[in-house]
Amino acid sequence: MNTKPGPRPISAAQLRSPSARAGLLAQSAPYWLILTPGRFLGYWPAKNRAASSWRVRLLVGGKYHKARIATADDYGKANGLDVLSFQQAIERAHTYALPVTSGRLSENVKLSAHCVRRIGGTATVDELVREYFDHRSTTPSGRNGRVMNAAARMTAESQWRTHGQSTIGLHPADSLTAADIRRWHSSISQSAPLNRGKVMTFDANDPNQLRARRETANRVLTILKAALNLAWAQESLPNSINRDWWNNVQKFHSSNDAPPRMLDEEEVRRLLNSARSYSDLHELIVAALMTGARAGELRALLVENFSEETGRIRINQGKTGKVLTQPLTASGVEFFRSICAGRSGRAPMLRRADGGAWQRGDYRRRFAEVAATARLENMTFKVLRSTYGKLLLIATRDIELVAKALGHSDSRITRRHYAQYLPDELARGISQMPSFGGLALSGATSIGRRR
């Protein structure tokens, strides 16, 4: 006879506080609270209550997978990282995803993509999202009439896999509600970010971190809405769904109207001087400032992408799929000539100090160190791209040209971010208005007074 303990069901009231959990007996298996179909939060009381832990139990590919997510706050104060309160544990469990191995999906995750359990026989949300990705990768759509390129699909699939596949993705489409989507959307904004499966430090009271998490939540919500809209248009949703109600679920208010961080010329000089201790990182930073390319686009550059004859560099944009043939300044031509001279056309243009090609994230730790040495706050590699746009606009005063150089599909994006550096047309126009004879304020107010 099988004597292995099965899952212990429990109510939320029994887990809500340390005092409530004190009444639970220590045992050889966790108590389980169902969160959504196929996803459970577990509490495992230990004999030493300071070692009691939160667990997650996740149905993937027809199999249950379990993992420890944090220590319970039975005796230690919750910190949102390794010690969690009941509510924090729920949020962590809602967004938990199986770890990624060596940059590729583990076999269990691969299996889950095709074996999501259907409840009640209807399509799951995850299946609709997968159909959406397949459709967008083969059928032109959207304002620009383009298909989703491989890089964009990889990014979108990664976001969905992390935040949606094993949470709201397990919902059958015909039982999904607006409340489900709002709860899921909100939980993403309150969850700590992951970096290669590792939970990063997160302070929900930090406005910058909260803004970043809300933007992530909005991006994943956009994926979900797009998938449901496609299913609605193709009449592949269950008959019980009679309107596109999900479009009424609102995103978090975007703070993208605030201009991105941009460096001035003095800050650029400090950054470059600080980076000279790392010759390979210095080259990467200079290349970004010379071209406005994203980090991934710089990593993909080959020697053959540079043409000394035309003084241009060909950039394959990973985000939009466009190919930009970017003109260079005289110093830019000299820089790229020096790093490409005598090398094979198929060789990576920008290399690490050990001669290998740059990989994603290779530069981050050293870049943060260099930025700190240069006394630059709120610095990411993306700031170099926005700095390129700012300096180009100051030099040309042509917003359309900057949009073209950055590969923006719509100059409204460029104008929203860089308008502060445009000539102030309103101020110039007002300065040309008549002075009304230099009338003082008291005289000016009498104009139009009835006599």
Side-chain angles (χ1 to χ4, degrees), residues 42-98:
Y43 172 69
W44 199 342
K47 290 183 179 179
N48 174 12
R49 287 288 172 155
S52 297
S53 60
W54 296 114
R55 307 281 170 142
V56 65
R57 182 167 173 256
L58 181 64
L59 178 63
V60 176
K63 295 174 60 179
Y64 276 105
H65 300 264
K66 303 173 186 177
R68 183 185 187 280
I69 55 176
T71 299
D73 65 335
D74 290 359
Y75 284 93
K77 185 177 180 180
N79 58 18
L81 298 174
D82 56 336
V83 180
L84 301 182
S85 66
F86 173 60
Q87 189 59 42
Q88 291 170 337
I90 288 179
E91 293 166 358
R92 179 77 59 83
H94 266 304
T95 57
Y96 178 83
L98 291 182

Side-chain angles (χ1 to χ4, degrees), residues 43-265:
Y43 172 69
W44 199 342
K47 290 183 179 179
N48 174 12
R49 287 288 172 155
S52 297
S53 60
W54 296 114
R55 307 281 170 142
V56 65
R57 182 167 173 256
L58 181 64
L59 178 63
V60 176
K63 295 174 60 179
Y64 276 105
H65 300 264
K66 303 173 186 177
R68 183 185 187 280
I69 55 176
T71 299
D73 65 335
D74 290 359
Y75 284 93
K77 185 177 180 180
N79 58 18
L81 298 174
D82 56 336
V83 180
L84 301 182
S85 66
F86 173 60
Q87 189 59 42
Q88 291 170 337
I90 288 179
E91 293 166 358
R92 179 77 59 83
H94 266 304
T95 57
Y96 178 83
L98 291 182
V100 176
T101 305
S102 302
R104 302 187 63 176
L105 293 180
S106 67
E107 291 302 318
N108 288 332
V109 176
K110 289 179 183 176
L111 183 65
S112 75
H114 302 284
C115 303
V116 176
R117 177 173 293 181
R118 294 188 179 194
I119 303 173
T122 63
T124 63
V125 171
D126 182 62
E127 288 174 312
L128 298 182
V129 173
R130 290 183 58 78
E131 290 173 4
Y132 163 74
F133 286 141
D134 290 340
H135 175 83
R136 286 286 287 110
S137 297
T138 57
T139 307
S141 61
R143 185 174 62 239
N144 299 306
R146 289 197 297 264
V147 300
M148 179 185 289
N149 62 46
R153 175 168 181 168
M154 183 181 300
T155 299
E157 284 185 325
S158 176
Q159 292 173 336
W160 174 252
R161 186 168 59 248
T162 300
H163 299 291
Q165 185 183 64
S166 54
T167 52
I168 203 165
L170 294 175
H171 272 274
D174 63 353
S175 69
L176 189 65
T177 67
D180 292 328
I181 297 179
R182 291 189 184 98
R183 189 181 306 112
W184 163 74
H185 181 228
S186 177
S187 71
I188 297 174
S189 72
Q190 296 296 320
S191 65
L194 298 176
N195 184 6
R196 299 183 180 182
K198 180 180 178 182
V199 179
M200 307 302 291
T201 302
F202 176 62
D203 179 4
N205 295 318
D206 183 333
N208 290 326
Q209 292 194 48
L210 183 60
R211 172 192 54 77
R213 296 309 292 157
R214 286 181 171 180
E215 289 178 359
T216 296
N218 285 347
R219 284 193 292 269
V220 187
L221 178 61
T222 297
I223 293 172
L224 174 61
K225 285 185 174 183
L228 292 172
N229 284 334
L230 176 65
W232 172 262
Q234 294 183 339
E235 299 182 352
S236 58
L237 288 174
N239 292 333
S240 58
I241 299 178
N242 56 18
R243 63 186 181 89
D244 56 343
W245 51 263
W246 50 87
N247 287 318
N248 293 328
V249 177
Q250 298 297 312
K251 294 182 179 181
F252 291 113
H253 176 70
S254 175
S255 58
N256 279 340
D257 290 338
R261 171 87 158 93
M262 304 176 195
L263 305 179
D264 58 32
E265 293 186 40

Side-chain angles (χ1 to χ4, degrees), residues 150-430:
R153 175 168 181 168
M154 183 181 300
T155 299
E157 284 185 325
S158 176
Q159 292 173 336
W160 174 252
R161 186 168 59 248
T162 300
H163 299 291
Q165 185 183 64
S166 54
T167 52
I168 203 165
L170 294 175
H171 272 274
D174 63 353
S175 69
L176 189 65
T177 67
D180 292 328
I181 297 179
R182 291 189 184 98
R183 189 181 306 112
W184 163 74
H185 181 228
S186 177
S187 71
I188 297 174
S189 72
Q190 296 296 320
S191 65
L194 298 176
N195 184 6
R196 299 183 180 182
K198 180 180 178 182
V199 179
M200 307 302 291
T201 302
F202 176 62
D203 179 4
N205 295 318
D206 183 333
N208 290 326
Q209 292 194 48
L210 183 60
R211 172 192 54 77
R213 296 309 292 157
R214 286 181 171 180
E215 289 178 359
T216 296
N218 285 347
R219 284 193 292 269
V220 187
L221 178 61
T222 297
I223 293 172
L224 174 61
K225 285 185 174 183
L228 292 172
N229 284 334
L230 176 65
W232 172 262
Q234 294 183 339
E235 299 182 352
S236 58
L237 288 174
N239 292 333
S240 58
I241 299 178
N242 56 18
R243 63 186 181 89
D244 56 343
W245 51 263
W246 50 87
N247 287 318
N248 293 328
V249 177
Q250 298 297 312
K251 294 182 179 181
F252 291 113
H253 176 70
S254 175
S255 58
N256 279 340
D257 290 338
R261 171 87 158 93
M262 304 176 195
L263 305 179
D264 58 32
E265 293 186 40
E266 172 58 27
E267 289 176 319
V268 169
R269 280 193 289 271
R270 295 209 311 265
L271 179 66
L272 291 174
N273 287 335
S274 177
R276 290 190 185 280
S277 55
Y278 300 113
S279 59
D280 53 352
L281 180 61
H282 186 270
E283 285 185 354
L284 195 66
I285 292 173
V286 171
L289 292 169
M290 291 287 185
T291 62
R294 300 175 178 89
E297 295 160 1
L298 293 173
R299 294 197 307 269
L301 286 177
L302 303 176
V303 171
E304 65 183 18
N305 288 102
F306 169 62
S307 171
E308 184 177 348
E309 291 77 13
T310 62
R312 295 170 181 260
I313 190 166
R314 190 173 69 255
I315 300 171
N316 297 305
Q317 286 203 310
K319 186 174 182 179
T320 65
K322 292 180 178 180
V323 177
L324 300 180
T325 305
Q326 200 80 301
L328 300 167
T329 63
S331 58
V333 171
E334 181 58 35
F335 167 75
F336 284 106
R337 181 195 296 123
S338 67
I339 65 174
C340 294
R343 299 176 57 211
S344 166
R346 298 298 297 172
M349 181 183 294
L350 296 157
R351 301 171 293 177
R352 299 192 308 254
D354 60 6
W358 286 99
Q359 302 299 319
R360 184 175 183 178
D362 281 353
Y363 60 87
R364 287 178 182 166
R365 179 184 59 79
R366 288 189 291 164
F367 186 79
E369 176 187 324
V370 164
T373 303
R375 306 186 309 281
L376 299 174
E377 298 180 353
N378 302 322
M379 274 294 295
T380 63
F381 201 86
K382 189 177 181 180
V383 171
L384 303 179
R385 174 174 167 82
S386 57
T387 299
Y388 173 87
K390 167 190 170 180
L391 298 178
L392 180 59
L393 182 58
I394 290 174
T396 64
R397 297 193 171 189
D398 188 335
I399 197 74
E400 298 295 335
L401 188 150
V402 174
K404 185 176 181 180
L406 293 175
H408 289 167
S409 301
D410 191 329
S411 63
R412 287 179 299 180
I413 300 172
T414 321
R415 189 173 296 277
R416 186 172 69 230
H417 288 170
Y418 299 93
Q420 59 181 319
Y421 299 106
L422 285 172
D424 194 334
E425 304 292 346
L426 177 61
R428 188 165 64 230
I430 290 176

